[in-house]
Amino acid sequence: MPRSAETYLDRRAGLGLVALASITAVILVTIVTLFVNLNGHEERARESVREDAIWAAYQLHNESARLEMAIDDAMEGSIEVDELLTSYDVLYSRTSFLKEGQYAVKFAGDSEISVLSDRIHDAIMSLAPEFDTIAATRGATAGVLVSLAARAADIRSSGAELLIETNANVNGSRVAARDRAIATMVQLAGGVGALVVAFASIVVLMAFQLVANAKSRKALQKLTLQHEGAREAAEEGNRAKSAFLATMSHEIRTPLNGIIGMVDLLEGDETDDTKRRRLATVRQSGDILLEIINDILDFSRLESGGIDLEHVSYRLEDVVESVRTIVTDRAASKGLSITVDCPPACLSGDPARVRQVLMNLAGNAVKFTDAGSVSIVAVVEETREFVEVVVSDTGIGIPDEAKDRLFKEFSQVDSSINRRYGGSGLGLAICGRLVKSMGGEIGVTSRPGEGSAFWFRIPYVQGEAVPTTENATAYVAPIERHRVLVVEDNATNRDVARQMLERLGTEVDVALDGLMACDMAKAGRYDMVFMDMQMPIMDGLQATRCIRGAGNPVAIVGLTANAFVTDREACLDAGMDDFMTKPVNRAKLETMLRTWLRDGPTSITPSARPAREVGALLIDVAQKEALVEEIGPDLLSDIVSGFWSEADKQLVAIAGAIAEGDRGALDALLHTMKGAAQTIGYAAVAQAAESARDQNISHAGIGKLRDILEATRRAETVSRPSGIRDTVPPAA
Amino acid sequence: MFKMLSIVALALLPVPAMASELDPPEGPVVLQVTGAITATNQGGSAAFDRHMLEALQQRETITSTPWYDGKSTFSGPLVSSLLEAVGATGDTAHVTAINGYSADIPLSDFDAAPVILATHLDGDELTVRSKGPLFVIYPFDEHPELYNEAYFGRSVWQVVSIEVR
């Protein structure tokens, strides 16, 4: 209220100033006009005329008196004729002032003076013939002179009368002029007074305005401070919200992680089919719950505008491949085939977000397709403005009227979908927002009953060349007997991870917090560390720095409860090699082990570090790339497909040959496999086949060959060679 | 040779010396100049007839005046020319009219503006009846600053004599 009132008054003061300024201008103009009038030429001229009119009347009277005297003198004979004539001529010369010129004795409106001056004029003029005769004859009779004297006396008397009348008139004019002057003076005084008042008002108003300005400036400062406070409060709130989200994310997922992990383990132990099914249901429910929680957390982060998009270089084909790897298992379990077509494209952007979108679309495609196939096709538009990725399926399809709702939050095509397929209904909404925030668009074409094609396109931003990751994953060694350290404060999670890792054949030690982990890792006995992020005493990041600070190059994989960009960055910045999101499951752990355990187990050959030669080269990248150059990616892809479709049959045939003791057939089969594997760069397979030929092969040996084949297949899946279009059969 | 020298000597004679040999008037005297003058022709004064006045440097002044409606054309000798002719040495001209009216005019007026003793008005010779024979006329239109009562007072008509003081 005070502020608005001040503003109002301030505005009023401003208007008042403008009005006063206008009034002042008008007053000034008036004063100047009055002043000009007072001192004007006109008034001075009028005055001058009045004075001179009296002078003229006086002189006229004077000259007429002189003429009268000259005539008297002439009658006495005491003057010359010329003197008499001059007297008349001088009087005559005065007559012009009765008629013309500025000094003319004429006053408009005064008829008495006009009549009188006309009469005098005519009287003087009428004497001219007599004086002309006198001039001509050089003399005058006494009778003429007597008559002239009488007429001159008459003129003098009229002149006196004119003088009196003129004086009276001029006196009147003087009074009028003085009155006018006084009136003008009064007006001037009034104007000056008004001017003084106006100026005083202006000064007062300006002072008022200054005060008001100062007040509003203070108010503004106060308001700014208030806003500042409000902004800080809002930011504080936002931070609190983020913290809450992070906590929720952690607190909800940690126990869930425990549930899912334990059920996973129970499921593996359980031999009773009914119980296994029930456990599977519990695990799946847990998965779904986790997915929904992830979706909601993701969505609330998007809602609060907290999308932190990364700008890193990545290979689109890597992203597509990683998605394919993940959905392949699910697709295979439903009997669906997955095809992928992605050109090599090095982009700049946020690969995790692109993966999230694609994962969602591919996941949906698999989810809503009961039979047939799912394909992922990526295309770089010819204009190189956009990259488009299309995920098509042969699923249930979407009715036209539902398409609009599809990308809105909490909407599914119909409620029965939710019951039948599960999900939060947030997936596509999240995708929509992510794509939009990347500057792209998303959409769908579909026919109910025939299938759907979801597409999204994002701007094509050329990234820097990303080194191939194949070399990093090309080495493999048996997971068995490696020593792994699990650092986790939560007992359930720790237990789950430990048991899963043990089942994968590793030797597992556990640490309860970062400090403990740092101490234990100092001995250098571990091949790999799984490090939780949030722990008491010392968190994962600090522990990692501690380990790295001691010069220990052990592979460290962070365990994060969420996939925030900042978290991942923090992991890598602290010196971790990789990270994985919770909940942990066997597949994730195995992938990580296979990715990072390139060396032999420390516990067995501690002095042999680096023991790369212990592990076989799983895929000979150089060989494979040479082949791509030689025959092209398409043909290679056909050959690779052929190899894998034959591999299982060959294993069966090899087993048969061993059982029958047909060494010749066995040797031939192993030789064939070795040759094929060598051709396409599967070095480990080739080596295993060759050593099997040399040894007295048994079922155990076949098992080893099978393991290596499996490892190679996984490696091929995890890190797909660039530019290769192929179809990997679903896992057997 | 001697003759040439005498011509040069004649040329070098000062002007007042020549003016002192003012010719006597032949016609009726219209103007008497007295006082501080070096050239005379009647006792201590210089008398001018119409012919002598016409011999002085003439000027025509077209101007409006307070005494006539509209513009009038006056012509007559320049006062400065007259004063030169009489070898005036003072600083004031006391100008007197037929009826005894008189006015003092600073001689500087005649240097500042081409003031004439008008003998003609609109081509007609001025007589006593028409404020003649001589009328002091300032060029008011050319010098508007002169258009005021002080100069109106100096504009003496029916001039008959000038005393240089």
Side-chain angles (χ1 to χ4, degrees), chain B residues 9-23 37-41 83-89:
Chain B
L10 202 66
L12 289 174
L13 283 172
V15 173
M18 288 178 75
S20 67
E21 296 165 15
L22 203 61
D23 292 333
I37 55 173
T38 54
T40 57
N41 57 9
L83 293 177
E84 196 183 326
V86 299
T89 57

PDB file of all heavy atoms in Angstrom, chain B residues 9-23 37-41 83-89:
ATOM      1  N   ALA B   9      52.481  74.235 -56.849  1.00  0.00           N
ATOM      2  CA  ALA B   9      52.301  75.001 -55.629  1.00  0.00           C
ATOM      3  C   ALA B   9      50.834  75.318 -55.404  1.00  0.00           C
ATOM      4  O   ALA B   9      50.308  75.185 -54.298  1.00  0.00           O
ATOM      5  CB  ALA B   9      53.101  76.303 -55.706  1.00  0.00           C
ATOM      6  N   LEU B  10      50.146  75.665 -56.472  1.00  0.00           N
ATOM      7  CA  LEU B  10      48.712  75.961 -56.409  1.00  0.00           C
ATOM      8  C   LEU B  10      47.924  74.749 -55.935  1.00  0.00           C
ATOM      9  O   LEU B  10      47.026  74.831 -55.088  1.00  0.00           O
ATOM     10  CB  LEU B  10      48.235  76.406 -57.802  1.00  0.00           C
ATOM     11  CG  LEU B  10      46.967  77.233 -57.845  1.00  0.00           C
ATOM     12  CD1 LEU B  10      47.203  78.587 -57.168  1.00  0.00           C
ATOM     13  CD2 LEU B  10      46.520  77.436 -59.284  1.00  0.00           C
ATOM     14  N   ALA B  11      48.331  73.564 -56.485  1.00  0.00           N
ATOM     15  CA  ALA B  11      47.637  72.324 -56.144  1.00  0.00           C
ATOM     16  C   ALA B  11      47.850  71.970 -54.672  1.00  0.00           C
ATOM     17  O   ALA B  11      46.997  71.334 -54.051  1.00  0.00           O
ATOM     18  CB  ALA B  11      48.139  71.183 -57.016  1.00  0.00           C
ATOM     19  N   LEU B  12      48.979  72.382 -54.122  1.00  0.00           N
ATOM     20  CA  LEU B  12      49.298  72.022 -52.751  1.00  0.00           C
ATOM     21  C   LEU B  12      48.660  72.953 -51.727  1.00  0.00           C
ATOM     22  O   LEU B  12      48.735  72.695 -50.527  1.00  0.00           O
ATOM     23  CB  LEU B  12      50.820  72.016 -52.543  1.00  0.00           C
ATOM     24  CG  LEU B  12      51.577  70.874 -53.232  1.00  0.00           C
ATOM     25  CD1 LEU B  12      53.082  71.065 -53.084  1.00  0.00           C
ATOM     26  CD2 LEU B  12      51.160  69.523 -52.657  1.00  0.00           C
ATOM     27  N   LEU B  13      47.984  74.048 -52.193  1.00  0.00           N
ATOM     28  CA  LEU B  13      47.376  74.988 -51.249  1.00  0.00           C
ATOM     29  C   LEU B  13      46.248  74.329 -50.477  1.00  0.00           C
ATOM     30  O   LEU B  13      45.471  73.551 -51.026  1.00  0.00           O
ATOM     31  CB  LEU B  13      46.824  76.213 -51.994  1.00  0.00           C
ATOM     32  CG  LEU B  13      47.873  77.240 -52.429  1.00  0.00           C
ATOM     33  CD1 LEU B  13      47.219  78.299 -53.335  1.00  0.00           C
ATOM     34  CD2 LEU B  13      48.493  77.928 -51.218  1.00  0.00           C
ATOM     35  N   PRO B  14      46.141  74.645 -49.137  1.00  0.00           N
ATOM     36  CA  PRO B  14      45.081  74.012 -48.334  1.00  0.00           C
ATOM     37  C   PRO B  14      43.690  74.481 -48.764  1.00  0.00           C
ATOM     38  O   PRO B  14      43.520  75.609 -49.244  1.00  0.00           O
ATOM     39  CB  PRO B  14      45.408  74.471 -46.911  1.00  0.00           C
ATOM     40  CG  PRO B  14      46.264  75.654 -47.049  1.00  0.00           C
ATOM     41  CD  PRO B  14      47.016  75.536 -48.340  1.00  0.00           C
ATOM     42  N   VAL B  15      42.692  73.568 -48.574  1.00  0.00           N
ATOM     43  CA  VAL B  15      41.316  73.840 -49.024  1.00  0.00           C
ATOM     44  C   VAL B  15      40.712  75.070 -48.336  1.00  0.00           C
ATOM     45  O   VAL B  15      40.180  75.934 -49.007  1.00  0.00           O
ATOM     46  CB  VAL B  15      40.414  72.614 -48.806  1.00  0.00           C
ATOM     47  CG1 VAL B  15      38.958  72.930 -49.104  1.00  0.00           C
ATOM     48  CG2 VAL B  15      40.890  71.475 -49.689  1.00  0.00           C
ATOM     49  N   PRO B  16      40.822  75.222 -46.950  1.00  0.00           N
ATOM     50  CA  PRO B  16      40.216  76.384 -46.304  1.00  0.00           C
ATOM     51  C   PRO B  16      40.700  77.709 -46.920  1.00  0.00           C
ATOM     52  O   PRO B  16      39.936  78.625 -47.049  1.00  0.00           O
ATOM     53  CB  PRO B  16      40.655  76.259 -44.854  1.00  0.00           C
ATOM     54  CG  PRO B  16      40.881  74.793 -44.675  1.00  0.00           C
ATOM     55  CD  PRO B  16      41.447  74.320 -45.970  1.00  0.00           C
ATOM     56  N   ALA B  17      41.946  77.672 -47.292  1.00  0.00           N
ATOM     57  CA  ALA B  17      42.495  78.871 -47.912  1.00  0.00           C
ATOM     58  C   ALA B  17      41.739  79.232 -49.178  1.00  0.00           C
ATOM     59  O   ALA B  17      41.459  80.400 -49.435  1.00  0.00           O
ATOM     60  CB  ALA B  17      43.969  78.661 -48.226  1.00  0.00           C
ATOM     61  N   MET B  18      41.328  78.170 -49.898  1.00  0.00           N
ATOM     62  CA  MET B  18      40.564  78.408 -51.123  1.00  0.00           C
ATOM     63  C   MET B  18      39.142  78.835 -50.765  1.00  0.00           C
ATOM     64  O   MET B  18      38.562  79.722 -51.368  1.00  0.00           O
ATOM     65  CB  MET B  18      40.512  77.148 -51.976  1.00  0.00           C
ATOM     66  CG  MET B  18      41.847  76.833 -52.643  1.00  0.00           C
ATOM     67  SD  MET B  18      41.747  75.310 -53.571  1.00  0.00           S
ATOM     68  CE  MET B  18      40.812  75.869 -54.975  1.00  0.00           C
ATOM     69  N   ALA B  19      38.565  78.159 -49.671  1.00  0.00           N
ATOM     70  CA  ALA B  19      37.189  78.438 -49.289  1.00  0.00           C
ATOM     71  C   ALA B  19      37.038  79.871 -48.769  1.00  0.00           C
ATOM     72  O   ALA B  19      35.955  80.436 -48.843  1.00  0.00           O
ATOM     73  CB  ALA B  19      36.730  77.448 -48.233  1.00  0.00           C
ATOM     74  N   SER B  20      38.081  80.390 -48.223  1.00  0.00           N
ATOM     75  CA  SER B  20      37.983  81.752 -47.693  1.00  0.00           C
ATOM     76  C   SER B  20      37.646  82.755 -48.784  1.00  0.00           C
ATOM     77  O   SER B  20      37.159  83.841 -48.506  1.00  0.00           O
ATOM     78  CB  SER B  20      39.283  82.146 -46.989  1.00  0.00           C
ATOM     79  OG  SER B  20      40.317  82.248 -47.943  1.00  0.00           O
ATOM     80  N   GLU B  21      37.831  82.326 -49.966  1.00  0.00           N
ATOM     81  CA  GLU B  21      37.487  83.213 -51.072  1.00  0.00           C
ATOM     82  C   GLU B  21      36.089  82.914 -51.549  1.00  0.00           C
ATOM     83  O   GLU B  21      35.833  82.632 -52.728  1.00  0.00           O
ATOM     84  CB  GLU B  21      38.491  83.035 -52.223  1.00  0.00           C
ATOM     85  CG  GLU B  21      39.892  83.439 -51.821  1.00  0.00           C
ATOM     86  CD  GLU B  21      40.949  82.927 -52.793  1.00  0.00           C
ATOM     87  OE1 GLU B  21      40.586  82.506 -53.925  1.00  0.00           O
ATOM     88  OE2 GLU B  21      42.125  82.900 -52.408  1.00  0.00           O
ATOM     89  N   LEU B  22      35.129  82.817 -50.577  1.00  0.00           N
ATOM     90  CA  LEU B  22      33.736  82.508 -50.902  1.00  0.00           C
ATOM     91  C   LEU B  22      33.157  83.659 -51.726  1.00  0.00           C
ATOM     92  O   LEU B  22      33.305  84.829 -51.365  1.00  0.00           O
ATOM     93  CB  LEU B  22      32.957  82.361 -49.588  1.00  0.00           C
ATOM     94  CG  LEU B  22      31.678  81.553 -49.607  1.00  0.00           C
ATOM     95  CD1 LEU B  22      31.920  80.115 -50.016  1.00  0.00           C
ATOM     96  CD2 LEU B  22      31.037  81.611 -48.231  1.00  0.00           C
ATOM     97  N   ASP B  23      32.529  83.273 -52.836  1.00  0.00           N
ATOM     98  CA  ASP B  23      31.961  84.311 -53.713  1.00  0.00           C
ATOM     99  C   ASP B  23      30.804  85.016 -53.013  1.00  0.00           C
ATOM    100  O   ASP B  23      30.061  84.371 -52.258  1.00  0.00           O
ATOM    101  CB  ASP B  23      31.445  83.689 -55.016  1.00  0.00           C
ATOM    102  CG  ASP B  23      32.608  83.173 -55.858  1.00  0.00           C
ATOM    103  OD1 ASP B  23      33.734  83.718 -55.724  1.00  0.00           O
ATOM    104  OD2 ASP B  23      32.399  82.169 -56.593  1.00  0.00           O
ATOM    105  N   ILE B  37      33.552  79.913 -38.457  1.00  0.00           N
ATOM    106  CA  ILE B  37      33.783  79.524 -39.852  1.00  0.00           C
ATOM    107  C   ILE B  37      34.986  80.284 -40.359  1.00  0.00           C
ATOM    108  O   ILE B  37      35.320  81.357 -39.861  1.00  0.00           O
ATOM    109  CB  ILE B  37      32.541  79.800 -40.734  1.00  0.00           C
ATOM    110  CG1 ILE B  37      32.120  81.282 -40.620  1.00  0.00           C
ATOM    111  CG2 ILE B  37      31.383  78.887 -40.318  1.00  0.00           C
ATOM    112  CD1 ILE B  37      31.016  81.659 -41.600  1.00  0.00           C
ATOM    113  N   THR B  38      35.634  79.734 -41.378  1.00  0.00           N
ATOM    114  CA  THR B  38      36.845  80.402 -41.898  1.00  0.00           C
ATOM    115  C   THR B  38      36.576  81.091 -43.226  1.00  0.00           C
ATOM    116  O   THR B  38      37.332  81.955 -43.632  1.00  0.00           O
ATOM    117  CB  THR B  38      37.978  79.380 -42.084  1.00  0.00           C
ATOM    118  OG1 THR B  38      37.498  78.321 -42.905  1.00  0.00           O
ATOM    119  CG2 THR B  38      38.439  78.832 -40.743  1.00  0.00           C
ATOM    120  N   ALA B  39      35.496  80.641 -43.934  1.00  0.00           N
ATOM    121  CA  ALA B  39      35.200  81.255 -45.237  1.00  0.00           C
ATOM    122  C   ALA B  39      33.966  82.157 -45.088  1.00  0.00           C
ATOM    123  O   ALA B  39      32.909  81.705 -44.641  1.00  0.00           O
ATOM    124  CB  ALA B  39      34.955  80.176 -46.276  1.00  0.00           C
ATOM    125  N   THR B  40      34.122  83.389 -45.459  1.00  0.00           N
ATOM    126  CA  THR B  40      33.001  84.328 -45.335  1.00  0.00           C
ATOM    127  C   THR B  40      32.897  85.130 -46.616  1.00  0.00           C
ATOM    128  O   THR B  40      33.803  85.129 -47.459  1.00  0.00           O
ATOM    129  CB  THR B  40      33.221  85.295 -44.169  1.00  0.00           C
ATOM    130  OG1 THR B  40      34.469  85.976 -44.367  1.00  0.00           O
ATOM    131  CG2 THR B  40      33.252  84.555 -42.834  1.00  0.00           C
ATOM    132  N   ASN B  41      31.732  85.799 -46.752  1.00  0.00           N
ATOM    133  CA  ASN B  41      31.604  86.696 -47.913  1.00  0.00           C
ATOM    134  C   ASN B  41      30.790  87.964 -47.572  1.00  0.00           C
ATOM    135  O   ASN B  41      30.511  88.778 -48.429  1.00  0.00           O
ATOM    136  CB  ASN B  41      31.008  85.970 -49.107  1.00  0.00           C
ATOM    137  CG  ASN B  41      29.654  85.352 -48.785  1.00  0.00           C
ATOM    138  OD1 ASN B  41      29.096  85.619 -47.711  1.00  0.00           O
ATOM    139  ND2 ASN B  41      29.126  84.575 -49.697  1.00  0.00           N
ATOM    140  N   LEU B  83      29.117  72.939 -44.638  1.00  0.00           N
ATOM    141  CA  LEU B  83      30.055  73.247 -43.551  1.00  0.00           C
ATOM    142  C   LEU B  83      31.481  73.275 -44.061  1.00  0.00           C
ATOM    143  O   LEU B  83      32.299  74.068 -43.606  1.00  0.00           O
ATOM    144  CB  LEU B  83      29.900  72.219 -42.425  1.00  0.00           C
ATOM    145  CG  LEU B  83      28.569  72.258 -41.679  1.00  0.00           C
ATOM    146  CD1 LEU B  83      28.487  71.150 -40.644  1.00  0.00           C
ATOM    147  CD2 LEU B  83      28.364  73.617 -41.013  1.00  0.00           C
ATOM    148  N   GLU B  84      31.755  72.438 -45.019  1.00  0.00           N
ATOM    149  CA  GLU B  84      33.097  72.422 -45.628  1.00  0.00           C
ATOM    150  C   GLU B  84      33.340  73.727 -46.392  1.00  0.00           C
ATOM    151  O   GLU B  84      34.406  74.324 -46.298  1.00  0.00           O
ATOM    152  CB  GLU B  84      33.194  71.224 -46.570  1.00  0.00           C
ATOM    153  CG  GLU B  84      34.619  70.879 -46.961  1.00  0.00           C
ATOM    154  CD  GLU B  84      34.661  69.725 -47.975  1.00  0.00           C
ATOM    155  OE1 GLU B  84      33.764  68.838 -47.848  1.00  0.00           O
ATOM    156  OE2 GLU B  84      35.514  69.713 -48.851  1.00  0.00           O
ATOM    157  N   ALA B  85      32.284  74.110 -47.084  1.00  0.00           N
ATOM    158  CA  ALA B  85      32.404  75.323 -47.889  1.00  0.00           C
ATOM    159  C   ALA B  85      32.692  76.553 -47.003  1.00  0.00           C
ATOM    160  O   ALA B  85      33.431  77.447 -47.401  1.00  0.00           O
ATOM    161  CB  ALA B  85      31.127  75.538 -48.699  1.00  0.00           C
ATOM    162  N   VAL B  86      32.112  76.559 -45.805  1.00  0.00           N
ATOM    163  CA  VAL B  86      32.326  77.715 -44.926  1.00  0.00           C
ATOM    164  C   VAL B  86      33.510  77.518 -43.989  1.00  0.00           C
ATOM    165  O   VAL B  86      33.819  78.402 -43.193  1.00  0.00           O
ATOM    166  CB  VAL B  86      31.064  78.042 -44.092  1.00  0.00           C
ATOM    167  CG1 VAL B  86      29.904  78.390 -45.011  1.00  0.00           C
ATOM    168  CG2 VAL B  86      30.706  76.886 -43.168  1.00  0.00           C
ATOM    169  N   GLY B  87      34.122  76.341 -44.055  1.00  0.00           N
ATOM    170  CA  GLY B  87      35.280  76.053 -43.199  1.00  0.00           C
ATOM    171  C   GLY B  87      34.903  76.053 -41.728  1.00  0.00           C
ATOM    172  O   GLY B  87      35.551  76.690 -40.904  1.00  0.00           O
ATOM    173  N   ALA B  88      33.816  75.339 -41.398  1.00  0.00           N
ATOM    174  CA  ALA B  88      33.338  75.292 -40.013  1.00  0.00           C
ATOM    175  C   ALA B  88      34.362  74.615 -39.128  1.00  0.00           C
ATOM    176  O   ALA B  88      34.931  73.588 -39.475  1.00  0.00           O
ATOM    177  CB  ALA B  88      32.012  74.551 -39.958  1.00  0.00           C
ATOM    178  N   THR B  89      34.623  75.202 -37.951  1.00  0.00           N
ATOM    179  CA  THR B  89      35.621  74.637 -37.041  1.00  0.00           C
ATOM    180  C   THR B  89      35.027  74.228 -35.691  1.00  0.00           C
ATOM    181  O   THR B  89      35.703  73.599 -34.885  1.00  0.00           O
ATOM    182  CB  THR B  89      36.765  75.639 -36.778  1.00  0.00           C
ATOM    183  OG1 THR B  89      36.172  76.841 -36.263  1.00  0.00           O
ATOM    184  CG2 THR B  89      37.536  75.937 -38.041  1.00  0.00           C
TER     185      THR B  89
END
